[in-house]
Amino acid sequence: MTLGFFALMRNDFEVDLNIVAAVLTIISYSINDKIVIDDRIRENMRRYRKMDMRDIIDLSVNETLPRTVMTSVTILLALFAMLILGGHVLRGFTAAMILGIVVGTYSSIYVSSSC
C-alpha cells in the first residue's frame, strides 16, 4: 500500500533513501506484529487443546489487541509530531511511516490471523 501511494504521488514525493528506510521499517513492524499474534495462537493451542481453532484465533487476537493498538498509537503520536515539526526532509519518511503503520496494524490484526 505504501509503495502504491508513492507511485501515485510521484510528483509530490521523491523516492529517496528515507522512504526506502520507512518501507523496510514498516515491513519489519508488520512481521513483528504477525509473529506476536502467531506466537499467542501457538500458546493458546497448547493451553486450550479442546477449543475450536476459530475460537483460539479469536481469543489470541483479542489478547494481543491492546498491545498492538497501544504500540501503533504511540508510534503515530511521534510520527505526527515529526510531520508537523520535522521539516521538508522528513516529510516523505513520515508520510510513509504513518500510512504503513495504519495499514500494517490493520493487516496484522484482521487479515493475517483470519481463518
Side-chain angles (χ1 to χ4, degrees), residues 2 22 26 29-30 94-107:
T2 305
I26 292 164
Y29 176 78
S30 294
T94 308
M97 286 293 295
I98 289 172
L99 180 63
I101 293 299
V102 170
V103 172
T105 301
Y106 171 78
S107 69

Side-chain angles (χ1 to χ4, degrees), residues 3-97:
L3 291 175
F5 171 76
F6 281 104
L8 291 174
M9 303 297 286
R10 64 177 170 232
N11 293 334
D12 295 333
F13 293 105
E14 179 181 334
V15 177
D16 56 0
L17 289 178
N18 290 334
I19 293 175
V20 172
V23 169
L24 292 175
T25 304
I26 292 164
I27 291 170
S28 65
Y29 176 78
S30 294
I31 289 171
N32 183 46
D33 268 354
K34 173 73 173 132
I35 289 171
V36 167
I37 291 173
D38 287 347
D39 188 50
R40 185 59 57 101
I41 290 170
R42 183 185 55 82
E43 288 174 6
N44 285 337
M45 284 175 61
R46 287 183 189 166
R47 188 177 301 152
Y48 306 108
R49 294 183 189 268
K50 298 186 184 204
M51 189 182 283
D52 186 40
M53 187 63 181
R54 185 172 299 231
D55 294 333
I56 290 175
I57 292 172
D58 187 46
L59 175 68
S60 301
V61 170
N62 285 334
E63 287 177 353
T64 58
L65 188 64
R67 174 225 175 254
T68 302
V69 170
M70 284 188 288
T71 303
S72 297
V73 168
T74 304
I75 293 171
L76 286 173
L77 287 174
L79 288 172
F80 281 122
M82 284 176 57
L83 185 64
I84 294 168
L85 302 172
H88 182 68
V89 175
L90 294 176
R91 196 171 181 195
F93 174 81
T94 308
M97 286 293 295

